[in-house]
Amino acid sequence: MGLDYENDGALHAKLIEDVLSQYPDKAAKRRKKHLSVATSKDEAGGEDKGLSECDVKSNIKSIPGVMTIRGCAYAGSKGVVWGPVKDMVHISHGPVGCGQYSWSQRRNYYVGTTGIDTFVTMQFTSDFQEKDIVFGGDKKLEKIIDEIEDLFPLSGGISVQSECPIGLIGDDIEAVSRKKAKEHEKTIVPVRCEGFRGVSQSLGHHIANDAIRDWVFDKDDVAFESGPYDVNVVGDYNIGGDAWASRILLEEIGLRVVGNWSGDATLAEIERAPKAKLNLIHCYRSMNYICRHMEEKYGIAWMEYNFFGPSQIEASLRNIAKHFGPEIEEKTEKVIAKYRPLVDAVIAKYQPRLEGRTVMLYVGGLRPRHVITAYEDLAMVIVGTGYEFAHNDDYQRTGHYVKNGTLIYDDVTGYELEKFIEGIRPDLVGSGIKEKYPVQKMGIPFRQMHSWDYSGPYHGYDGFAIFARDMDLAINNPVWGLYRAPWKKMKDAPLRAVAAE
Amino acid sequence: MGLDYENDGALHAKLIEDVLSQYPDKAAKRRKKHLSVATSKDEAGGEDKGLSECDVKSNIKSIPGVMTIRGCAYAGSKGVVWGPVKDMVHISHGPVGCGQYSWSQRRNYYVGTTGIDTFVTMQFTSDFQEKDIVFGGDKKLEKIIDEIEDLFPLSGGISVQSECPIGLIGDDIEAVSRKKAKEHEKTIVPVRCEGFRGVSQSLGHHIANDAIRDWVFDKDDVAFESGPYDVNVVGDYNIGGDAWASRILLEEIGLRVVGNWSGDATLAEIERAPKAKLNLIHCYRSMNYICRHMEEKYGIAWMEYNFFGPSQIEASLRNIAKHFGPEIEEKTEKVIAKYRPLVDAVIAKYQPRLEGRTVMLYVGGLRPRHVITAYEDLAMVIVGTGYEFAHNDDYQRTGHYVKNGTLIYDDVTGYELEKFIEGIRPDLVGSGIKEKYPVQKMGIPFRQMHSWDYSGPYHGYDGFAIFARDMDLAINNPVWGLYRAPWKKMKDAPLRAVAAE
Amino acid sequence: MVRILRKIKSAAVNPLKSSQPLGAAFAFLGVEGAMPLFHGSQGCTSFALVLFVRHFKEAIPLQTTAMDEVATILGGADHLEEAILNLKTRTKPKLIGVCTTALVETRGEDCASDIANVKLKHAEELAGTEVVLANTPDFGGAIEEGWAKAVAAMIEGITRSGARTRQPKKIAILPGCNLTVADVEHLRDMVESFGLKPVILPDVSGSLDGTVPDRWVTTTYGGTSVEEIRELGTAAQCIVIGEHMRHPAKTLHGLTGVPYAVFQSLTGLKAVDRFVSLLSAVSGAAVPARVRRRRAQLEDALLDGHFHFGGKRIAIAAEPDQLYQLATFFTGMGCEIAAAVTTTDMSKILQKVPADWVQIGDLGDLEVLAAGADLLVTHSHGRQASRRLGIPLMRVGFPIFDRLGSQHKLTILYRGTRDLIFDVANIFQANQHAPTPEALDPFRKREMPDELRSSPLTRH
Amino acid sequence: MVRILRKIKSAAVNPLKSSQPLGAAFAFLGVEGAMPLFHGSQGCTSFALVLFVRHFKEAIPLQTTAMDEVATILGGADHLEEAILNLKTRTKPKLIGVCTTALVETRGEDCASDIANVKLKHAEELAGTEVVLANTPDFGGAIEEGWAKAVAAMIEGITRSGARTRQPKKIAILPGCNLTVADVEHLRDMVESFGLKPVILPDVSGSLDGTVPDRWVTTTYGGTSVEEIRELGTAAQCIVIGEHMRHPAKTLHGLTGVPYAVFQSLTGLKAVDRFVSLLSAVSGAAVPARVRRRRAQLEDALLDGHFHFGGKRIAIAAEPDQLYQLATFFTGMGCEIAAAVTTTDMSKILQKVPADWVQIGDLGDLEVLAAGADLLVTHSHGRQASRRLGIPLMRVGFPIFDRLGSQHKLTILYRGTRDLIFDVANIFQANQHAPTPEALDPFRKREMPDELRSSPLTRH
């Protein structure tokens, strides 16, 4: 599968120009570096060759008064990396706001008894009051840890996720964590992910990775019998069951998934990770740090993969299998063959309804590139894509995915995104909840590509069937037929006098 | 317990006079016979002495254009007697109206898997069309019986409940029933309860009783090992679980309830009834016919009892026990003693909230008399009562219950009832759904005394606690404090200018 | 092309349908000072009354000729006469609406002449009271037919015939029986906002709307007045809502020449746009800001809601026009009609239902056909099928006795469509189930839908 | 006398509370052409924005000063200045509402002077744009406090002070944050029906009401205009809804002398009667027929509904004024408040809550205290407690992200009270359980309530 098409690079360049012309000079200069049009044609199978002009400037701090959709370090640590570790209690340490705001924003599915041995969808905060700010919160943190031990004795451990004030008031959460870990004989992980650190959630990922390295690895003797086909899946947060759909495939080709970071994960899975044979990394952006560390320290190789859509699934499975040799490779071919009729059926059903429909993406993590081929497997066309908080290596990786002329935007503002959408008027926008309602009000179908809009999984073969159905439901819903762009509507509407039947 | 009070007979006589003065002479003369004031003081424990003027004229046909709340023979048979027999399919035979109207109007609770072996809350009709009227419905009935056998093989039998047209078009449902009963080896009971027969649902009861006699008894060899303490509870329809609450008590005093007619009953319970030692009759009106028949034919004694409120429960239990001798009598005293603390607790809690509150009743069956003492056990006062479809023997039985001066009304019209309520303005009216909303709109608390208003049971000790709570909830709900009689409201309302706080 | 499937069984198991006289009585209840009178045994009246009361939670005027055994043999004319006279004397109604039942229709009584005789014999006594007759045997039609017959009977019996001077702002509206009290209120408000003067027949919003009257009344209070019915012929335009009201509109047209427009549904953006356009054209007035605003709110609801509807499978059992109204609403939001069951095959609207087939049948049929659906849509008696199938139930139609406020739900025009979207989307949201790892095997999952297709009622 | 119980734990487990800046931003969103600006790291803004969007399902304008590590060390004044100027240039708002967050408040920044400096320095540039400040550290108060502070800040910063000529028909209304969009719309309609001219501050009905604007706008569209805020002092009367709005009303009174009346709740027949009386007195107009009719409909709903409420045990967790509003509603219908949990002990209204005690706490506390109740009443995060306890949940307050149309639910005045009655009665009806023979043993039954009082969270 795959698709050959080229986007209208000239139009896209013009759109960038238009957008920039509205800014004051200084801001225009700054924003210009974040916007680009892909110019070199993608060569299928090319390994290292990125798009020359795809390296937009990225990971640069946001501009005050120009709201983007980025989060903060706390979001990266608590919201992304640590939050899904299901048998730990994660304390949002500081005032109540951060924890309440972010509660249940991500659909990290899990198996377990919530409130007994599992805590993902619960929310814990130290709810700082003025006195805690003035006199410091360490004593309170100690009490809270004791309370949690008392209320939730079956929790596997605790993490302390620092909010902004912690970094300012001189609290020593590391000392508290060490003391209480000893007292309760439990893992307690202090994380210095105050929101003012870094330029987006991205630094929070890094800090969270480092906390795993410093406060989890090599702490206890891990009783774990490792085998030759043990792999860790790293950076799959099990949104809508993604990790489960992926695990099925990996096990079918003969591997043993001994850890899934961090969707549906236990602390034990993280502790034993260094005993695995290979790290399979899904979300490169949020978890590459710990993989690099494990490679350095324990000699564990790591490999990226992509389980969105059959083309990438097949390529990734084969790539993974190659690492383990002929026996696994053989099984892999059988698995691929087994699912082909399913894939054919899905494509036969949905391609006629989706072919040639254009898509703009704006998401975080790896999705701005990874999902592209899944759309193309359905003969859809990606006209633009961009990341919320990518680094340059993300954009280099993107080059392999995008076609010539594709519009690329980094850390885009609401204004820019709206102008691009208005200029291109794609058939579908895939982005986040913040963009959902403005885009829909423009009369353009939308899917949330962080949370799968309460659907999912989208990984694996099963996920592809769901993905295809969801895109069809979004694009072909009859309400779009009722709808005209509101700024055009007022002229001829309302309601010409049509004779009643 | 019990209560000594006298009602304002003069006021009540005046109300009757006022009401009658509004009628044309002929109608006034007819209606006069249905309205009365009890004049002789009730003597506690008096066995046979009814109230001399309590024998209002009753069981007389209704007047066209003067709607009462009476039903018809079909209502008495299908709605009351046969409908609750849970393992039978009861076909409302004729057009769709009757069955659909009456569907789930009574809350006959049961245990069983609806649609598999139990059918009480389902509704079956032959849904006559014009052609069935013209050409007769016997063929259709045969097909329907076959379909039911096919769809519901675990049904224990079928009854055919005739609607009005059946009696006019000359169908021979008896022949169909005989034929199909033989064919399917199942009990099939034709019931000639066309709505035009009789003056109320009462004749339907009689017809339904006769159908049991003619189409169920003595049909098969009943394999049943009878014992010395076997009793049938007859005429308890298990509204809100009443029969269950009664059975607990009877079993506690050492009896075995081998049949409960017809709440939660199976066909087998009816078939084996002639093997019991005693028939305990709750709803005298609807089931006395079959008890008299069993007395005549099988020599089974029958006895009325009353399980509403502790005074009557105790008296009834002792009366029943006397029939079985010292052993049962001893147990009975233990049971009464066991429950006394519960009774005391209920009365201690609710009497202060209910004492002296006045009640008017208008119900069917036995309740216009039987529930009186339950109210009096809570120190409440019955100022008026009446029956929908009573016969003279009902009113004679009522004499033992009511106090001097109590207003008595038979088959009352909406107009009369409203005038009485307006004149007396009781603290509570207990009647049916048809009366509920007009009475409430008068600003008077109301409870449904047919269906227990989705509550219950009211029988037995447990039922007394629920009864007391329900009356308290109805009378003491704060909304009555907000409410003034609407015809008075408009004068001083709306809404004097009251300064806001 | 939708196929209309005949009844599967001779029996009705858990019938969907209520019978005709009830529909006729319901329509008479929408007239001020009216008293519906069932001509039959008193049981029918008592039962129907209870059902009305349970549905509306109001005092309902309904009377009976109380046919007894003797009358059944000798004929009911005397009972009818006595009932009419007693009613006149005691409650002084402005309208007595006679609805026949199976009993007198089976006897083949000529109630029309009976009534004509009564009127003749007691002309003076009955002055100020109209008596009209709807022939509504229980063994034909259902609520829609009864409702429409009663309206046609009132127009035939009361409306002054002949060409009249048209009042340009006066609009006659004949709503179907599937409109709630809130719908009728809202409809009037909408029409008035164009400066038009609607006369709605029947108007249940006045009579069954949950108010507390300021005095004890034994007939209906509120509703269309007899005088308004008499003067219907001066309307500039008649608007009909629901296919079943075409016949009364034709009757009016035949008598008085008032032109009519039929709206088969007023639910959904397009249908309402058409209606609003007509009002704008008839009145010559621009669409008021308030209406435009509601339209914008509906647009937003369509956007917010469509997401929850897409791909959902809906099983509906309702009278024909309500079936059409709801089925088009659901398919307009991206749903599929998994099952459509209705009461009778007499309505032309069935041909337009956006489904592969429409089954004439009962709730037993619905229960079989709905297996695997995401939502059941029918009246309160669908609650057991809902429980057995594990599929949520949206209550519509008649009767709804186990919820409060069903008459205050809006289902038409921009706002009613919006409310429907919210209601349904919230049912879906309340019944969402997260996947489990076990449910994810793609092959197993795809075999499931068929397995689901069995229920306690499917064994034929 | 109600006892106010202090927090049980140091931790908050499933917090009930949202923090102050969100409340302030919410209030600013009720002003036309406004842009709320969080002064802090961009994460707060992003998170709060997402939560707003999930609740309202609308595009929400919200901006950030994007404090980074350097600004955290050196101070945020430059970021604040840059943000204000960028906003002014790009979106030309009529109002920038600065809400401080924990970050700048912990640093002890003097944002008031910072803003004064910016205004001074860029007076010309900023002409036509008001900038007001609400000091709303996350570590104090909750939504109510933030909302009230923002309103007070707008009055202090914008309203022209000094005694003014009163316009006799003009009424200033300061609604609490517990009113929905539908409530505000309905409130305006009610006040206007007396011939009065309401100015509602904030007015979220214009800005968060689910319409589709006719052009792309980056600030709020709709809402109170800045000009209206400036001229608040000419109102004849100020009406306050909710105890937390007393402070802004006092502020207005202090600046301009406008008298105020506080309605702690507008839910329930008596409270609405008082409100209607006041409107009648102020306007000199009789109560319109439409309002009387709604009152009658409410009376009827009270009758139909009370039966379902009597004796039910209700567990509520909400902000103080909403807790009072709902608790009085429920006890007025015959319920008992089994548990009352609220966010802070700062409100005087807590003394009036009709319960034995009010617990300051979280949803973890609610889950413990609600065991055995018939209904949970709190925001969407109560859904898990509801499932674990097997007690149905009625969603109120903020956030409600898993249902559509929550802003279109009416909760005040005659109609809103009626709707609440229907909603709750229907929840009860949907959750009725028939007794089983086993459940009937009177003694066993009476021992059960205590056994029920255990939950996963009670082990302390």
Side-chain angles (χ1 to χ4, degrees), chain B residues 107 109 111 240-242 244-245 248 264 338-339 342 346 436-437 440-443 446-447 452-457 461-462 465-466 473-474 477-484 486 489-490 493-501, chain D residues 243 246 261-264 269-270 273-274 276-278 280-281 287 291-292 295-296 299-300 302-304 306-312 330-335 352 414 432-443 445-446:
Chain B
R107 293 168 50 250
Y109 283 176
V111 172
D242 276 345
W244 296 331
I248 290 171
D264 197 26
K338 171 184 159 191
Y339 283 106
L342 171 66
V346 168
K436 178 170 180 163
Y437 299 100
Q440 288 191 159
K441 282 180 202 285
M442 296 168 79
F446 187 94
R447 286 297 297 195
W452 308 149
D453 248 338
Y454 306 97
S455 182
Y461 289 106
D462 193 60
I466 295 170
L473 289 179
N477 190 293
V479 305
W480 303 116
L482 298 174
Y483 204 85
R484 285 167 295 164
K489 194 176 55 194
M490 288 302 159
L495 327 163
R496 294 144 300 159
V498 174
E501 183 271 353
Chain D
E243 181 62 32
R246 189 187 291 272
V262 177
F263 288 85
Q264 290 163 328
L269 187 72
K270 279 187 180 169
D273 279 355
R274 275 218 333 278
V276 168
S277 301
L278 180 69
S280 186
V287 178
V291 174
R292 284 161 178 266
R295 187 180 193 278
E299 283 187 321
D300 200 52
L302 287 167
L303 297 179
D304 292 354
H306 82 283
F307 163 78
H308 297 281
F309 286 78
K312 293 288 199 304
F330 280 108
T331 55
M333 296 298 295
C335 299
K352 287 189 157 191
Y414 298 128
Q432 251 165 3
H433 299 291
T436 58
E438 293 70 34
L440 280 182
D441 177 346
F443 289 105
K445 195 173 171 187
R446 261 153 210 92

Side-chain angles (χ1 to χ4, degrees), chain D residues 182-202:
Chain D
D183 286 339
V184 175
E185 274 186 339
H186 192 53
L187 186 63
R188 170 180 294 109
D189 185 61
M190 167 74 104
V191 175
E192 285 177 352
S193 72
F194 283 84
L196 297 169
K197 295 208 176 71
V199 177
I200 302 177
L201 174 69

Side-chain angles (χ1 to χ4, degrees), chain D residues 18-334:
Chain D
S18 282
S19 62
Q20 269 201 119
L22 190 134
F26 187 10
F28 288 130
L29 288 172
V31 174
E32 197 189 359
M35 179 59 82
L37 175 64
F38 272 17
H39 190 15
S41 101
Q42 72 181 352
C44 322
T45 321
S46 183
F47 270 148
L49 177 53
V50 167
L51 191 56
F52 269 132
V53 170
R54 293 174 76 205
H55 179 77
F56 288 107
K57 300 175 206 315
E58 292 294 328
I60 301 287
L62 193 63
Q63 279 291 351
T64 179
T65 59
M67 296 267 286
D68 57 12
E69 210 150 358
V70 178
T72 302
I73 297 165
L74 301 180
D78 291 354
H79 276 249
L80 183 57
E81 180 178 1
E82 192 182 346
I84 290 171
L85 294 179
N86 270 330
L87 280 180
K88 174 66 183 176
T89 313
R90 285 189 41 253
T91 65
K92 300 176 188 58
K94 297 192 180 120
L95 171 70
I96 295 172
V98 179
C99 319
T100 62
T101 68
L103 179 56
V104 294
E105 293 283 355
T106 300
R107 288 194 80 260
E109 300 206 10
D110 185 354
C111 299
S113 335
D114 292 348
I115 289 176
N117 288 338
V118 173
K119 283 184 178 175
L120 204 64
K121 202 167 139 195
H122 303 281
E124 207 167 312
E125 237 173 307
L126 290 174
T129 297
E130 298 284 349
V131 183
V132 302
L133 169 72
N135 277 106
T136 49
D138 299 70
F139 46 75
I143 295 181
E144 276 189 4
E145 285 80 9
W147 169 280
K149 280 180 182 177
V151 175
M154 288 189 275
I155 290 171
E156 268 168 13
I158 301 173
T159 303
R160 209 184 292 175
S161 65
R164 308 280 304 282
T165 310
R166 303 252 174 274
Q167 295 177 18
K169 296 289 179 196
K170 180 169 168 181
I171 306 290
I173 298 183
L174 307 180
C177 58
N178 49 325
L179 270 58
T180 65
V181 162
D183 286 339
V184 175
E185 274 186 339
H186 192 53
L187 186 63
R188 170 180 294 109
D189 185 61
M190 167 74 104
V191 175
E192 285 177 352
S193 72
F194 283 84
L196 297 169
K197 295 208 176 71
V199 177
I200 302 177
L201 174 69
D203 176 4
V204 293
S205 76
S207 54
L208 297 171
D209 78 339
T211 57
V212 179
D214 59 355
R215 65 208 153 85
W216 181 272
V217 275
T218 42
T219 61
T220 54
Y221 48 91
T224 326
S225 74
V226 167
E227 194 50 34
E228 284 170 330
I229 304 175
R230 192 166 290 129
E231 296 302 323
L232 268 188
T234 61
Q237 172 78 45
C238 172
I239 295 176
V240 164
I241 300 144
E243 181 62 32
H244 66 291
M245 297 308 281
R246 189 187 291 272
H247 170 62
K250 272 188 180 166
T251 306
L252 180 65
H253 181 70
L255 281 176
T256 66
V258 175
Y260 64 91
V262 177
F263 288 85
Q264 290 163 328
S265 163
L266 281 187
T267 302
L269 187 72
K270 279 187 180 169
V272 187
D273 279 355
R274 275 218 333 278
F275 180 67
V276 168
S277 301
L278 180 69
L279 294 181
S280 186
V282 170
S283 66
V287 178
R290 186 154 62 119
V291 174
R292 284 161 178 266
R293 179 174 161 96
R294 283 185 195 143
R295 187 180 193 278
Q297 287 179 323
L298 170 57
E299 283 187 321
D300 200 52
L302 287 167
L303 297 179
D304 292 354
H306 82 283
F307 163 78
H308 297 281
F309 286 78
K312 293 288 199 304
R313 294 165 49 81
I314 315 294
I316 310 178
E319 297 250 341
D321 273 313
Q322 191 163 40
L323 173 63
Y324 173 77
Q325 173 198 13
L326 293 169
T328 50
F329 164 75
F330 280 108
T331 55
M333 296 298 295

Side-chain angles (χ1 to χ4, degrees), chain A residues 107 109 111 240-242 244-245 248 264 338-339 342 346 436-437 440-443 445-447 452-457 461-462 465-466 469 473-474 477-484 486 489-490 493-501, chain C residues 243 246 260-264 269-270 272-274 276-278 280-281 287 291-292 295-296 299-300 302-304 306-312 330-335 352 414 432-443 445-446:
Chain A
R107 293 168 51 248
Y109 282 177
V111 172
D242 277 344
W244 296 331
I248 290 171
D264 197 28
K338 171 184 161 192
Y339 283 106
L342 172 66
V346 169
K436 177 171 182 165
Y437 299 100
Q440 289 190 158
K441 281 179 203 285
M442 295 168 80
F446 187 94
R447 286 297 298 194
W452 309 149
D453 248 337
Y454 306 97
S455 182
Y461 288 107
D462 193 62
I466 295 169
R469 183 204 61 189
L473 289 179
N477 190 294
V479 306
W480 303 115
L482 299 173
Y483 204 85
R484 285 167 294 166
K489 192 178 54 194
M490 288 302 160
L495 330 162
R496 293 143 301 156
V498 175
E501 185 269 357
Chain C
E243 182 61 34
R246 190 186 290 271
Y260 63 92
V262 177
F263 288 84
Q264 290 163 328
L269 187 71
K270 280 186 179 169
V272 187
D273 280 354
R274 276 216 335 277
V276 168
S277 301
L278 179 70
S280 187
V287 178
V291 174
R292 285 161 177 265
R295 187 180 193 279
E299 284 187 322
D300 199 53
L302 287 167
L303 297 178
D304 291 356
H306 81 282
F307 164 78
H308 297 282
F309 286 77
K312 293 289 199 305
F330 280 108
T331 55
M333 295 299 295
C335 299
K352 288 190 159 190
Y414 298 128
Q432 250 165 3
H433 299 290
T436 58
E438 293 71 34
L440 279 182
D441 177 348
F443 289 106
K445 195 173 172 188
R446 265 158 205 87

Side-chain angles (χ1 to χ4, degrees), chain B residues 217-218 220-232 256 258 261 268-279 294 298 300:
Chain B
F217 282 176
D218 309 319
D220 280 310
D221 280 345
V222 176
F224 181 72
E225 193 84 32
S226 64
Y229 300 116
D230 287 358
V231 297
N232 294 308
R256 185 168 77 146
V258 297
W261 292 22
E269 286 176 50
I270 299 179
E271 287 170 345
R272 74 191 176 212
K275 304 207 171 182
K277 297 293 175 294
L278 179 69
N279 281 326
M294 283 195 264
Y298 311 106
I300 306 176

Side-chain angles (χ1 to χ4, degrees), chain C residues 134-179:
Chain C
N135 277 107
T136 49
D138 300 70
F139 46 74
I143 295 181
E144 275 188 5
E145 285 80 11
W147 170 280
K149 281 181 181 175
V151 175
M154 288 189 275
I155 291 171
E156 268 166 14
I158 302 174
T159 303
R160 210 184 294 175
S161 65
R164 309 281 306 278
T165 310
R166 302 253 174 273
Q167 296 177 18
K169 297 287 178 195
K170 181 169 167 182
I171 308 290
I173 298 183
L174 307 181
C177 59
N178 49 328
L179 270 58

